[in-house]
Amino acid sequence: MTEDLRTLFPAIKIKKDEPLSNYTYTKTGGPGDWVAFPTSVDQVRQLVDYCRQHQMPLTNLGNASNLIVKDGGIAGLTMIMTEMNTIKLDGDNVIAQAGAAYIDVTKFARDHSLTGVEFAAGIPGSVGGAVFMNAGAYGGETKFVVSQATIMLADGTIQVLNNQQLDFGYRHSAVQDNHGVVLDATFSLKKGDHDAIAAKMEDLNARRRAKQPLEYPSCGSVFKRPQGHYTGKLVHDAGLQGYTVGGAQVSKKHAGFIVNIGGGTGSDYQAVIKHVQETVKAKFGVQLETEVRIIGRD
């Protein structure tokens, strides 16, 4: 690919051979061949159309919180949606663009005395990522509050999928299957008491601060919860807390997290994940599946 996308799309902020470690929550990852920051649906369509027409791989990172980018970086075009972050009110609905922070949606809802999304007060992902992964915490899930989402498919067409069509499951949605790009989501909430909403959010955030290693870069929860078990307890009971490869370490504060204690790489993370999976399988017969997405070139 010899064409310079910066010349082809002068209105779109695009970087070449950009280190993705600048954007991932783990502070790891090699370069993206091209990294674009669209600010509108039209810009997203231009990029999607170009990739389709030129058979260029397209990767959508949202805000890169719950993923690990390998050291070889990402081929083709990587879209980071954080410039599309508008949040607006429509009755008791909150409509948020894909790049808006989930945390900002919860604050917006609180400020308008709308209840239902407090569980997400500390989830670091974007709205697009939350829909893509059906993000959840403290008994709440995105599927309980999102009534519809606007998706752009690989052929450039736009669909509005309702809650049922989004086919939410545990850390799953239809967007993973149709390879679409989330453009926005509508959160259907209920009127509530502002002070009660604020208190619940503060309580959940206090619990998160007490339990989770927020002082280090991490990708959040690494493994899905296996049926009948708690991941953190399995990893703790396997004696793996503090296990370190390079700069990646099983958190000493919460065994379900792998943190970057300094200079960690995507390969370090992959090595720690593999060792944890093998050890837990050998000791307890439980296969831990990754919740975090691991993408890119080796």
Side-chain angles (χ1 to χ4, degrees), residues 151-170:
I151 313 292
M152 185 178 294
L153 300 177
D155 63 2
T157 60
I158 291 177
Q159 291 186 349
V160 178
L161 302 183
N162 65 28
N163 181 283
Q164 194 170 359
Q165 291 168 321
L166 284 164
D167 189 29
F168 286 119
Y170 179 55

Side-chain angles (χ1 to χ4, degrees), residues 7-120:
T7 307
L8 287 173
F9 303 106
I12 306 175
K13 182 170 133 189
I14 299 176
K15 298 185 176 185
K16 180 173 168 55
D17 297 325
E18 175 72 3
L20 292 166
S21 56
N22 291 341
Y23 307 97
T24 58
Y25 271 55
T26 57
K27 303 299 179 196
T28 65
D33 291 352
W34 300 99
V35 182
F37 303 82
T39 58
S40 67
V41 172
D42 184 57
Q43 289 187 356
V44 173
R45 179 180 275 113
Q46 289 177 51
L47 296 169
V48 167
D49 286 349
Y50 180 87
C51 288
R52 182 182 69 256
Q53 289 159 10
H54 294 83
Q55 287 81 53
M56 178 182 271
L58 173 64
T59 303
N60 182 14
L61 286 198
N63 75 347
S65 60
N66 194 216
L67 56 81
I68 294 165
V69 175
K70 296 179 182 180
D71 297 340
I74 297 179
L77 176 67
T78 300
M79 275 198 308
I80 294 178
M81 304 285 283
T82 46
E83 302 282 325
M84 294 175 62
N85 55 17
T86 303
I87 304 172
K88 62 185 182 183
L89 192 64
D90 179 18
D92 291 345
N93 295 324
V94 173
I95 303 170
Q97 285 187 301
Y102 210 175
I103 289 171
D104 288 345
V105 171
T106 68
K107 291 176 179 175
F108 184 92
R110 174 200 65 199
D111 293 347
H112 291 87
S113 299
L114 292 170
T115 183
V117 78
E118 293 91 328
F119 70 89

Side-chain angles (χ1 to χ4, degrees), residues 102 119 123 126 129-137 140-143 171:
Y102 210 175
F119 70 89
I123 293 178
S126 65
V131 171
F132 184 89
M133 291 286 289
N134 183 26
E141 290 181 65
T142 301
K143 70 177 181 181
R171 301 299 176 261

Side-chain angles (χ1 to χ4, degrees), residues 231-294:
T231 304
K233 183 170 178 3
L234 286 169
V235 177
H236 173 270
D237 291 351
L240 290 167
Q241 274 186 282
Y243 177 79
T244 307
V245 175
Q249 180 182 83
V250 178
S251 168
K252 296 175 181 177
K253 189 172 181 181
H254 188 310
F257 285 68
I258 298 172
V259 294
N260 186 347
I261 56 173
T265 65
S267 298
D268 293 344
Y269 263 85
Q270 287 176 271
V272 173
I273 288 169
K274 184 167 184 281
H275 181 73
V276 169
Q277 287 173 318
E278 289 173 351
T279 305
V280 168
K281 176 77 169 168
K283 290 201 172 189
F284 306 114
V286 178
Q287 182 62 51
L288 291 179
E289 291 181 39
T290 51
E291 172 180 319
V292 66
R293 291 169 66 215
I294 302 172

